[in-house]
Every structure is written in C-alpha cells, then in structure tokens.
C-alpha cells in the first residue's frame, strides 16, 4: 500500500521521497514504516518538524537538502485518532503551495486505509512499537478503540502508562448520531491476570451495549459475568457515561474508583458522584444511573488511581490539588494532547520514569451542538 502511495506521489506530484511515520504507543517518537534492513531512525515528537505537524495536526513545510526542494509533513489522522505523519519531499515554491491541500487529503485517505489494512497485516502495528510490549499490554492495546476521537460535539483524548507494560486500566467509547458512551476502567491486580479481568469486563459491557441495553443493565450484566468467573475474589471499577449529544445531558453509573474533574470557566473542581459497588464484587448487584449535564466549553478529565493516588519520593499523594494544577496548566492544549502532558507532569511528581501501577488519563472537551 505504501509503495502504491509513493508511486502516485512521484508520478503525479513530482515527489523526490516519501516516508510514513507511525506514532509509538508511548506517544514519544514517530516510528518509520519500512522493511528491514532499509529503515530510518525514529523521530521525536518533540522539537522536530514531523512532531510539529503531528502535535498541531496541520501540514508543516521545511526546506530539504538539495536545490529548491522542501519536505512537507502531513498528519495521518482518522476521525481525530492521530496515527502518524506522511513526509513528502517536493519541489518548492508555487508547486508545493498549489498541491498542499491535496496532499493533506491523500494523507487522510492513507490513514483510513492503514486502519483497514491492520485487519490483515501486522506491519503497521509493529511499526508503532519502539520496544517490545508485554503480553498483558498487547491484550490491552488491542482492546482499545483508539487514543483520540473528534466529532462536532466533542473531542476525546486518552493515554495509558507504562505504555509498553500496562495490565489493568482501560478506556472504551462508542458513538452514534445521537449518543456517546464512555467507559473509564480502573483495573485490579497485575500482569496477565489483570488484563484477563479487564478483557472480560469490557467485552461484557460491549455485549450489553450492542444489545441496546441501558447503562444500569450494562453494568449489571458485566457484574454478573465477572462474578461468575471470579466469585468475588477479583472485581473491577468502572465509571460509565451515556451522553446525549444534542443536549449534553448524561446518565452515569459510578461503579468504583476512577475520579472525574471538571474545568469550567477557568475553575477546576472534582465532581462527586454516587458511588456504587465495583463490577463482580457481589452476586447480582443492582445499579442505578444518576443524571449529569455537560455545558459547552466544559473539559472533563478522568483519572485512575495510578494518577490520583501515586506517591512522591516523600510519600505525598498526587491528589486533587496537584491534578487541578496540571489541568489548569494544560487548558490551552487540545484534548488529544492533555493526557500525555498530565502523565508527563505525573512522572516528575513520582520521581522515577517507571510507575508501580497503571496510570490512565482521559480528557473530554464538550463542544455542544
């Protein structure tokens, strides 16, 4: 597929070079898609031209070696899910200005084809990893819907750490023309056992959702599935939202420990919800949905215990105050950039690069209709 794109760009746009870079799981580098041994070095998402196009989600043009050539870096994005960057070396001047819009459209089409191709090849999944994933992490990443999503009514972004060794935390979303359902999961346990527990719960929730059941019944069905397997020895916390896109009205089931904070009119506050039992703790638990309303301009940030409760070297928990400060500091960033920025701030608080527990951040910007 990439060879076909390269051939068309050479024939139709006089391209002198074409490379596709995929964002790695940790969102720290852009990995080249190529066949060994003919491969390029990864490119940082920070302080590089490719990273600038990826972060801003806008084409960026820089001078290239060789007389009169430029390199155009084009975001490869599908419905707001940022996959990577397509870099094309072209003649400069009026030529590149005249075709930049078409090249950006080609990069978008390429992104959609990559998503389809991933059903049949490991090439693009392999290109995303700069290190080997643990088996638990492999299972978790395959379970996720994406890392960002954009609609006229909202923008979503999410990230997990440690990206190459996660095991229990998870997020899931699904949208229709009228609704957005969002689940934020705080896993229990470690390693492959935690991943198996989360996989069971998320697939049970999806099964109930796809059967058209309301939120409380989705929680009850997943609760029964987890209890039937583990008999209360293992359970799982999940925060579930069902948003009505036309109004911002939402129904919520808070089954456990994920936290939610809201940025509204420049002020950050923690939203207290009616806590109910985690999924699978007891047999046949009944769940009740409560109402919540998002207003245009609201930013909702969801975090797992691996963020909220993480301790500094002195034993100080990160907590609401530090989290509110991080949300304020990232208020000008798009939703897709916020989770990575908060997790970077969390690393500084923790005092070491590798966390002891999964850390999950989900950011939802509510734009309204």
């Amino acid at each position: 597929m990439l060879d076909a794109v390269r051939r068309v760009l050479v024939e139709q746009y006089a391209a002198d070079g074409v490379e596709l870079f995929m964002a790695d799981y940790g969102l720290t580098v852009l990995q080249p898609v190529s066949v060994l041994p003919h491969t390029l070095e990864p490119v940082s998402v920070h302080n590089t031209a490719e990273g600038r196009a990826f972060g801003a989600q806008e084409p960026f043009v820089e001078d290239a070696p060789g007389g009169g050539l430029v390199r155009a870096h084009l975001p490869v994005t599908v419905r707001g899910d940022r996959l990577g960057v397509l870099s094309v070396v072209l003649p400069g001047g009026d030529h590149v200005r005249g075709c930049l819009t078409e090249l950006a459209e080609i990069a978008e089409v390429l992104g959609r084809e990559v998503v389809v191709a991933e059903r049949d090849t490991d090439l693009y999944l392999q290109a995303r990893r700069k290190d080997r994933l643990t088996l638990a992490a492999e299972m978790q990443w395959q379970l996720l819907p994406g890392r960002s999503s954009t609609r006229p009514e909202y923008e979503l972004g999410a990230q997990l750490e440690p990206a190459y060794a996660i095991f229990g935390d998870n997020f899931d979303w699904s949208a229709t023309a009228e609704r957005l359902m969002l689940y934020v999961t705080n896993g229990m346990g470690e390693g492959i056992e935690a991943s198996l527990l989360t996989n069971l719960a998320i697939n049970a929730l999806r099964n109930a959702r796809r059967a058209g059941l309301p939120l409380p019944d989705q929680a009850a069905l997943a609760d029964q599935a987890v209890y039937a397997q583990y008999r209360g020895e293992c359970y799982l916390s999940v925060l579930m939202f069902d948003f009505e896109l036309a109004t911002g009205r939402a129904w919520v089931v808070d089954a456990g420990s994920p936290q939610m904070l809201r940025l509204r009119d420049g002020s950050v506050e923690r939203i207290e919800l009616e806590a109910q039992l985690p999924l699978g703790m007891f047999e046949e638990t009944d769940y009740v949905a409560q109402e919540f309303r998002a207003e245009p301009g609201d930013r909702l940030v969801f975090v797992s215990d691996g963020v909220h409760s993480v301790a500094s070297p002195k034993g100080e928990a990160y907590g609401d105050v530090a989290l509110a400060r991080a949300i304020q500091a990232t208020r000008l960033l798009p939703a897709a950039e916020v989770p990575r920025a908060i997790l970077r701030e969390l690393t500084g608080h923790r005092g070491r690069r590798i966390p002891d527990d999964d850390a999950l951040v989900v950011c939802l910007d509510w734009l309204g209709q």
Side-chain angles (χ1 to χ4, degrees):
M1 184 171 66
L2 187 55
D3 289 339
V5 171
R6 186 177 286 117
R7 184 169 59 251
V8 169
L9 292 176
V10 169
E11 294 174 355
Q12 302 294 326
Y13 296 90
D16 193 54
V18 180
E19 296 294 340
L20 174 62
F21 296 87
M22 302 291 289
D24 88 303
Y25 287 102
L27 290 176
T28 58
V29 298
L30 296 166
Q31 296 274 116
V33 178
S34 51
V35 179
L36 295 173
H38 308 290
T39 186
L40 303 175
E41 290 297 317
V43 177
S44 173
V45 299
H46 307 291
N47 304 317
T48 64
E50 294 88 346
R52 179 170 174 175
F54 181 76
Q57 287 296 287
E58 294 287 345
F60 179 71
V61 180
E62 63 170 345
D63 291 333
L69 296 177
V70 297
R71 183 177 285 111
H73 304 290
L74 312 156
V76 177
T77 304
V78 180
R79 293 181 179 271
D81 191 13
R82 304 174 306 160
L83 304 182
V85 171
L86 180 68
S87 294
V88 186
V89 178
L90 298 159
D94 292 338
H95 176 78
V96 68
R97 285 191 292 271
C99 66
L100 197 59
T101 300
E102 290 184 7
L103 292 172
E105 292 175 355
I106 290 172
E108 182 178 347
V109 172
L110 175 61
R112 295 177 184 274
E113 292 302 317
V114 166
V115 171
V116 174
E118 284 182 346
R119 298 182 303 182
D120 302 308
T121 178
D122 288 335
L123 176 65
Y124 303 100
L125 293 173
Q126 288 174 319
R128 294 183 186 188
R129 56 197 72 191
K130 65 182 182 67
D131 297 307
R132 182 173 178 178
L133 293 175
T134 64
L135 177 56
E138 186 85 52
M139 294 171 64
Q140 290 295 76
W141 283 110
Q142 289 297 305
L143 195 62
L144 298 175
R147 283 186 293 201
S148 51
S149 179
T150 300
R151 284 273 298 269
E153 300 86 359
Y154 62 83
E155 294 180 2
L156 263 169
Q159 181 61 13
L160 289 158
E161 282 194 356
Y164 290 83
I166 56 171
F167 36 80
D169 289 1
N170 192 274
F171 55 88
D172 192 30
W173 57 65
S174 177
T176 67
E178 295 83 23
R179 318 198 71 80
L180 166 69
M181 289 193 182
L182 171 65
Y183 311 142
V184 182
T185 304
N186 198 131
M188 175 185 178
E190 297 182 358
I192 193 70
E193 291 299 326
S195 182
L196 288 169
L197 171 62
T198 301
N199 268 260
L200 173 61
I202 292 296
N203 278 293
L205 288 170
R206 287 176 175 173
N207 178 256
R209 182 182 75 213
R210 292 164 184 170
L213 299 182
L215 216 58
D217 292 342
Q218 293 178 32
L221 189 146
D223 171 72
Q224 293 169 17
V226 173
Y227 185 85
Q229 182 67 30
Y230 294 99
R231 313 304 296 181
E233 294 181 3
C234 295
Y235 44 86
L236 183 124
S237 300
V238 61
L239 185 58
M240 306 169 61
F241 278 80
D242 180 5
F243 287 96
E244 191 175 67
L245 298 183
T247 64
R249 185 185 179 195
W251 288 262
V252 188
V253 171
D254 181 2
S257 57
Q259 309 289 328
M260 179 177 71
L261 290 91
R262 178 178 63 199
L263 173 63
R264 175 182 286 178
D265 298 328
S267 177
V268 178
E269 61 178 331
R270 180 176 172 182
I271 304 301
E272 297 287 351
L273 299 166
E274 181 184 338
Q276 300 177 66
L277 293 173
L279 305 185
M281 180 174 281
F282 298 106
E283 188 174 10
E284 295 185 359
T285 303
D286 290 327
Y287 292 92
V288 178
Q290 59 182 302
E291 287 196 27
F292 174 83
R293 185 177 292 274
E295 299 290 343
D298 282 356
R299 168 166 285 179
L300 306 178
V301 177
F302 310 87
V303 299
S304 66
D305 281 353
V307 175
H308 191 268
S309 302
V310 70
S312 70
K314 296 181 180 180
E316 300 167 338
Y318 194 61
D320 287 352
V321 175
L323 186 54
R325 188 166 56 243
I327 293 171
Q328 285 280 14
T330 58
R331 65 187 181 278
L332 299 180
L333 293 177
E337 289 280 337
V338 170
R340 183 162 57 107
I342 292 178
L343 288 170
R344 195 162 54 241
E345 160 77 14
L346 184 69
T347 300
H349 172 84
R350 190 170 54 234
R352 59 190 185 283
R353 190 173 65 87
I354 304 299
D356 295 328
D357 189 13
D358 287 2
L360 163 64
V361 179
V362 178
C363 179
L364 171 63
D365 283 353
W366 192 261
L367 309 177
Q369 286 190 345

